[in-house]
Amino acid sequence: MRLRGSPQGPAGLLSLLVALLLVTLGFPDAAWGKKSGPDIAKTTFDNEPSDPFYFEDSDVLLIHDAHARTVYRSSDAGKSWKPIDDSTEGHVRGIFLHPFDNKTAFALATAQRHWYTNDQGKTWHEFKTVAVPSPWRMPLSFHAGNKKKIIFEGQACKGLFECDEVTLYTNDGFKTDPKLLRSGTRGCNYARSTELFTTGDEKLDANRIICISRGRFSPFPKDFTMVISDDYFDNEVEPNLVPGRTVKGLVNMAVVKKYLVAAVKADRTDEMALFVTLDTKVWHRAEFGSDHRVEEDAYTILESTKYSMQLDVQNGRPSSGLGSLFTSNSNGTYFQLNIEHTNRNIKGLVDFEKVTGVQGIVLINTVKNWKEVESTNAHEKEIVTQISFDDGRKFHGLKTGKKDLHLHSITGFHNVGRVFSSPAPGILLGVGNTGEHIKSYDKGDLYVSDDAGLSWRKALDDAHIYEFGDQGSILVAMNDEEETSKIKYSINHGHDWEEADLGEKVKAGYLTTTPDSTSLKFTLVATKRKGDAQKYYVFSLDFEGLHEGQCGEKDFETWHARLDEDGEPMCIMGQEQSYRRRKVDAHCFINEEFKDPQPKFEPCPCTDEDFECDYNFVEKDGQCTPAGPTVVPDGECKDAKDSFLGSSGYQLIAGNQCDRKDAVNKDKKVERSCKDLMKPPLSGKPVATIKEFDANRIEGYFYLESTSSSRDSDETVLMRLDQGEGSQGQVFRSLDHGKNWEEILKDEEILAIYPHSYFNDAVFFITNTKTVYYSLDHGKKIQKFEAPLPPNTENLQILQFHPNQKDWLIWTGDDGCDKSKTDCHAVAWVSEDRGESWKILLRVVRKCQFVTEAGREQTERHPSNERSKKLIYCEQYQGENPDNPLQLKVSDNFFEEDTEPVFKDIVDFATMSEFIIVATKDNEKKSLVVEASIDGNTFANARFPPNFDVPHQSAYTVLDSSTHSVFLHVTVNALAEYEYGSIVKSNSNGTSYVMSLEGVNRDRRGYVDFEKMQGLEGVAIVNRVHNTDEAKVGKTKNIKTMITHNDGAEWEYLDPPAKDAEDKDWGCSTSSKSCSLHLHGYTERRDPRDTFSSPSAIGMMMGVGNVGELLGTYNEGDTFLTRDGGITWKSVKKGQYQWEYGDQGSIIVIVAESTEANLAPTNIVLYSVDEGETWNEYRFSEEEMYIEKITTVPSDVSRNFLLWGTKKKSKGRLVTINLDFSGLTDRLCDLNEEDPTEGDFYLWEPKHPAQKDNCLFGHVAQYHRKKIDSDCYTGPELERIHSIKRNCPCTRQDFECDYNYQLQNDRSCGLVPGLDPADHSKQCSKDPDAIQYYEPTGYRRIPLSTCEGGRELAYLEDKAKPCPGHDDDFRKTHRGVSGLGLLFAIVLPFAAAAGVGYWVWRNWDGKFGRIRLGEQGGVATFDAESPWVRYPIAAVAVTAAVVIALPDTLGRLWRIVKGRFGGVPERRYTTRSSFARDGPDYAVVDEDEGELLGDESDEEV
């Protein structure tokens, strides 16, 4: 997204439009004008001058030598130059003109010392800042009503990576050093940033500041928010951009004329929402109609008027350079399409310019052959120029005589300033050609118009740069195609031209004059090359002496700015416009320097064109029709029979000056009936919609979920049906969560469907040919591209996606397979333009993937550079021979250069939020070895606990890395059907592991009974094999369920509920080894995507299990629920039920589960709106059905659910049943962040069951939960965590056992028998500056903990020892140092070891980390990655030749082992959550894998 700059901003094109997104690595150019004339003066510069600008209404210029970082000043319009203040020389990186004070400018350095002038550069004064100017945005912004009020955007750094953006302010124009306004900002503006914008309140106008701020608990852009303050952020509020809710994902903001515009982008989409306000109090989302969406970096807010905004929206691919021009209504909320196929470039610049000083005239370039350009980049654009005289309602071609004329515009401009026009009334210049479309610039000529673009004539042959002077009385031009010594000028509107000689041939750079074009003085910057040497000149051209006479009254005429087709004056905004202009043949100069031409206006009678659609109305078929419910005035419509005076649908355009007397009056109030506006009463019940399908089974389905910034709120579901032998099946799409289905791609055989792993809107449909179909809008518009090879037939992942670059793809296809199977192999290709062009990566591969993992991606403070963005890992067979071992190759330039393998014999690798784990083979020990990296470049060998001796480590499962440690399951017993292993937990860089829990259950596929509670820190549930000795020899495993509340440091059994669902006693009520609650885990699930919990239903989990000594069989289990994070449990229902959470946990729906082993026909669901306290029954059908699945959108925010099953009586016909619960209530829950318990929510605090207070990980966290007795719906997704109430004193629960120590029976950490404590003195040799080290105590702090004081177990004063040679420093350090001081000296540096990606609770976003390992593309399955997988599981084994992969995407097939909905032998699935809600993934290898699932290979998860 880009907006063009305003006059106070940088030079060149950016001075024409207001920039909403100005992110550069240096300072933007900041300059305006220069001079020229027959009296010529020349100045030579050592380096190329840049950033020239005039102080308004003066002959004073500043120019910047960027190479020497020096600023020069001229007080005589460029005739002579001197450096400004000596103290500035060699330091200035940018110069900035004050937009509201023509005497003030600023010279900013990259350090903390800067300068300002208040006398147009005569004297300069130094000021200092605590931060360097921001490299990410414009460093200065100004108050339009008080020129002394200025905001400074800076960056404060503590070392290389610890940087934060800060905002400073001054109320005295930097006379004193600026004060801190706020830290953690991403740009701030005064509300009164333009002369037109006002809050409507003088006090607010004086002080109100709006900032974009980093989220309270997250550094990532998806959590950026808007904050407003009227007292310099002593107090601040988040405005409700949508009714009743604040909005996250703020990207940028700008004040454009009378509008304040904020751009918002949610996570997992590039679609943006624009919010507009006229007063900072009431906000509305801008609407663009159903056919257009606004994307990040894909729209440009153009030069706008006082009564509307103009905006160009990119269409199609970024490389196509096509857009659509929109104009807003007067309040900026509804945009109408003016013209399509506008020409734009990759930088977001658009060929659009308003004629200066004349209302309603716009020049724009469009692409004639847009269809060809849209289909492929191979077609060169055929660009044509069009003009509008009525604010873009109608466009016409330019004419010179009878020929069509086309002009180069902003995207191909060669000068600075405006392109075609200036304040000189009605005179336009441009470079172009006649014909069918624009030719190259060097084939263009100079054309002129003196009637504001109505007619044109050739002025000069060849292309020239040009300028306007003396209100258009003189035009100056210079050929810029080659070196020349001639300057040309005209004093009769370009009819005749004369020459002036510069004295030597030079190449024109740019030509400029004063911004108001009233001067007779011009400035030319030029260069001259002699061999390898380059010379730089600034010429002053002064035309003042050209004519002796000054124009008199007889030399002027009245010129009407706009004429219609009949030559009559036109009305725009209710008035005619005219100027007093010098006659074309008058031989005189106006010579009124710095006096702007003033237009004259005459009102016109109001016509239809003076009215626009009123708020909440949109134009349709030429009429303004309601866009939503009509707003009923307070006190009206008490009865359906009543009526009221309401909007006609029209309003007079704001600022319109038309004469209403005896004229059109379209905004007159009309009488409206209340009958149609009164809402029917709610049913208070769900509504079911049943759809039947004639197919053998459902092969797969997945959701494409809308985000908070999406224009549409559809709940899209894609489904693929298996119709029997020889059929590839049908693909259906529903936009309303299964209420209605539409078949798409009817005539195509779809092999697989890949939703984009990181962008919810995109989905790819794979055929068995090179043709790939795709959609970027939930399947509404289908496009296609050609892949370089057919998709591979080796069950490898076909498509891989980049986390941040939507159009970057990796394709793995088959080569040589059509000729000879013996030479058939997989080849990986990469595309940077969504399949338009391809580059080969490597041949004979198993997997290639981008490793710029979203969770591990550098934050906005440290964006990845171009090479790290291209980082790719590939598993390639050595010697390009599939019989050889796999090697891991890494490249950051798409393998343009051959690289040595990082590891020569690997099994697989996994990438996670902070770690990359590689499993390599140790052939001597016949075992696996784990290598870990946190930067993708440097790997270290993982150290397992010394007492943990598994001679032949055959399988690992990476369980989780969401809490800054790796949880790794190492298989101890691999005997088929009796598998189990140990969970070990790493330090913060993934290399040193301690024991967390032994005997954890897994199955023969490598799945592990381990699951993190989503949205809550450090809570996980496992199933443990109680009789490991017996299981080793093949006896049945006895399973018990355990839970941790402190990230694996301690594990406890689940306390059973006091009574069952029928209010009967279990016979026990306390947790013990003989009686506790046990839940069936991951290894028993038919669909691995199912989860106990949901990230939006904080603190709640559901499961099927039993109370007793051991876990029983599934068919004998009951259904249980916890509301407090697993501390207490409730028996919900006897029997086995499936569950889903909706409306962020305020609705829970359960339905009897039907399996082939236990058919349970039903036509009833149970639902709860009070977190399971009570349950309501709803009959969804008269006929009973076998329900095999219940789903909802991955975020669990919807009030719609979908049942999948078969009819009991109707020969097993497949059915989907939509359950819509929106009829329960229509009141949005009230959430007030300032007083969160006042409305419909309360603050819930998780806790550790062993602690009396609510401390967990050293702090008390507070989460929003809806009050169970509130009759309302939660609505838009909430930021669940409200605050961190406080940090707590440290307790035992904040520590875990250190390396070489293990947990004892009394819960203490004891040294493993036969081992010595780790030698911590080695850190002294690694860090020569280290003063001390601490001997081990047996404990280390849990990385998540933020406790302060209290019980310190890891760093004890008596364990501190001096490093060799630092005894004196050690004594000084420990003289009076408190325990807290030691804590900060030792603990905090350790906590920072994970680098940029390491954030503790105060920056945690409430989501689990991700993993991508071993996905493969099944031939007839859904293969894309899940957008919502937040915590990972990946397993690798040494003895297998292939890797099994399980995809994690919400849209992948759910798998049922037997029955109508199962039978997908090519593929298994990793994601635990329903439709890829935050859940773990697996990629598994073991000895019998090929026998179990066939010859499958791995893919990214």
Side-chain angles (χ1 to χ4, degrees), residues 997-1021:
L997 189 65
E998 297 176 305
V1000 178
N1001 187 49
R1002 59 151 280 194
D1003 63 13
R1004 63 181 303 178
R1005 301 170 296 174
Y1007 298 159
V1008 178
D1009 279 342
F1010 172 94
E1011 185 167 324
K1012 278 290 188 86
M1013 186 173 190
Q1014 300 179 61
L1016 199 60
E1017 304 167 285
V1019 179
I1021 288 180

Side-chain angles (χ1 to χ4, degrees), residues 136 160-161 186 219-221 224 802-804 851-871 912-914 934-937 1394-1399:
W136 312 105
L160 184 59
F161 294 112
R186 299 299 181 266
F220 300 110
F224 288 1
H802 195 286
N804 310 110
V851 297
T852 312
E853 187 61 34
R856 205 183 61 253
E857 177 78 357
Q858 293 147 314
T859 64
E860 191 212 25
R861 299 301 94 239
H862 301 92
S864 59
N865 59 38
E866 193 66 24
R867 291 185 72 91
S868 66
K869 186 166 62 176
K870 293 183 177 182
L871 190 63
M912 288 159 280
S913 59
E914 297 170 28
I934 60 175
D935 61 7
N937 296 307
V1396 175
Y1398 190 91
W1399 281 72

Side-chain angles (χ1 to χ4, degrees), residues 12 27 98 243 399 734 1400:
F27 290 120
H98 197 303
K399 292 288 186 179
S734 173
V1400 292

Side-chain angles (χ1 to χ4, degrees), residues 706 713-717 733-742 777-780:
S706 299
S713 58
D714 57 78
E715 297 179 357
T716 301
V717 190
R733 184 197 67 200
S734 173
L735 296 176
D736 53 13
H737 212 136
K739 294 175 182 175
N740 297 282
W741 294 91
E742 174 193 7
D777 57 3
H778 294 188
K780 297 169 189 173

